[in-house]
Amino acid sequence: MCGRYAASRSPEDLVGLFGVEKWEPAETLAPDWNVAPTKSVHVVLERPLKDARERGPVRQLRALRWGLVPSWAKSPEGAAKMINARAETVHEKPSFRRAFESRRCLIPADGYYEWVTGADERELEERGRRKRARKQPYFVTPEDGSVLAMAGLYEFWRDPALPADHPQAWWATCAVITTEASAEPFAAAGGEGPRSLAEIHPRMPVVLPRERWGAWLDPSCTDAGALRGVLASGAAAVRAYPVRTSVSDVRNNGPELVEELPAPEESTLF
């Protein structure tokens, strides 16, 4: 899955990396090394501008709330649970089907966090010796230091309790698409740590290579089969390393959270 990630690149960097044509400085977000559900996040999407619809879709950098609220939802209460959509069923699930057809986006990240329970701790938990096992967070990031372009969906939800001209009358929300984790060994696999993404968690975000960004963002493409083919792009070349367990607390934030540790921490409970 993808329940926490880091996004420290500036809007100016993202504009250049993704070929963005439209960006509002008012939507600038500060670097965030502990992005959690319901936070505002930068996404790249293509849609017509309100005052120039005849121009057609324009690639934009927008700030959306992480946690998708379907347009037909009666309230946004379930948004925190709608942070991920499964690639295998996204085209048929009512909550995601409409967005999959025409409201797709890319969610830039430095990398994402996953938590691993050590074998010894898991055994203690299974024997009832520990109510909750220690979990070690790992940071998964591109081997070459490039941006991680996670496939996503976005939606607009109208709050019926507010007047149309209220600044918070419309919610713009998003979700990350996930797939089965790759069992391909890491290039530098070795030691006692996890040797593949599948050994960390059974799910992972779908990461799209640059050559598939355009096809994914194009709102005129509505063929479910073709879009599912875009998602089946294979796993990106990534590495995973242990980081501080302090990332488990969403109140902690800073570049130290993504610093590589020489070995997993031993004493902090998650």
Side-chain angles (χ1 to χ4, degrees):
M1 63 177 295
C2 179
R4 206 81 65 80
Y5 68 93
S8 67
R9 294 177 186 268
S10 70
E12 292 82 1
D13 285 345
L14 297 176
V15 166
L17 284 168
F18 288 92
V20 169
E21 301 173 73
K22 179 69 173 178
W23 162 59
E24 293 291 344
E27 294 192 348
T28 296
L29 300 174
D32 194 338
W33 288 271
N34 203 352
V35 180
T38 74
K39 279 189 173 184
S40 291
V41 300
H42 277 135
V43 308
V44 178
L45 54 84
E46 290 186 3
R47 61 182 293 107
L49 300 175
K50 290 182 179 180
D51 55 353
R53 294 190 176 278
E54 69 282 354
R55 180 182 170 188
V58 174
R59 188 166 294 187
Q60 306 173 44
L61 180 66
R62 301 285 301 274
L64 276 60
R65 186 187 300 240
W66 186 19
L68 191 138
V69 181
S71 60
W72 44 261
K74 294 183 179 180
S75 77
E77 292 180 0
K81 298 179 181 179
M82 302 280 280
I83 60 171
N84 293 157
R86 296 174 69 93
E88 299 87 344
T89 58
V90 66
H91 62 293
E92 58 188 15
K93 291 292 185 180
S95 296
F96 304 116
R97 186 173 56 225
R98 292 181 184 176
F100 182 69
E101 290 177 355
S102 59
R103 287 183 290 279
R104 300 176 298 275
C105 64
L106 294 170
I107 303 176
D110 303 331
Y112 67 96
Y113 301 99
E114 264 320 338
W115 281 258
V116 177
T117 302
D120 293 342
E121 291 293 325
R122 188 180 299 112
E123 182 180 353
L124 286 173
E125 183 181 31
E126 291 172 352
R127 289 163 49 190
R129 297 287 298 277
R130 188 184 300 279
K131 291 184 178 179
R132 206 171 181 188
R134 290 185 177 94
K135 292 188 177 182
Q136 171 62 49
Y138 278 76
F139 188 60
V140 182
T141 188
E143 285 183 353
D144 59 4
S146 61
V147 67
L148 205 65
M150 301 185 292
L153 307 173
Y154 69 96
E155 266 288 12
F156 295 102
W157 179 77
R158 171 74 166 84
D159 189 341
L162 297 175
D165 59 351
H166 193 283
Q168 296 179 342
W170 285 93
W171 287 40
T173 61
C174 63
V176 175
I177 297 179
T178 67
T179 189
E180 183 178 354
S182 171
E184 185 73 19
F186 297 130
E192 299 181 359
R195 292 164 294 182
S196 69
L197 290 175
E199 290 190 7
I200 297 176
H201 194 277
R203 306 290 297 177
M204 67 178 188
V206 174
V207 177
L208 296 181
R210 184 181 297 271
E211 62 269 19
R212 300 202 180 200
W213 292 355
W216 178 249
L217 294 175
D218 184 2
S220 68
C221 180
T222 59
D223 182 83
L227 291 169
R228 294 182 70 193
V230 173
L231 292 176
S233 58
V238 298
R239 68 189 191 99
Y241 56 82
V243 294
R244 291 174 172 83
T245 51
S246 54
V247 72
S248 301
D249 188 334
V250 297
R251 295 171 295 184
N252 295 324
N253 210 319
E256 69 279 0
L257 295 181
V258 300
E259 292 177 357
E260 183 171 359
L261 299 180
E265 292 187 348
E266 298 180 356
S267 60
T268 306
L269 287 175
F270 167 65

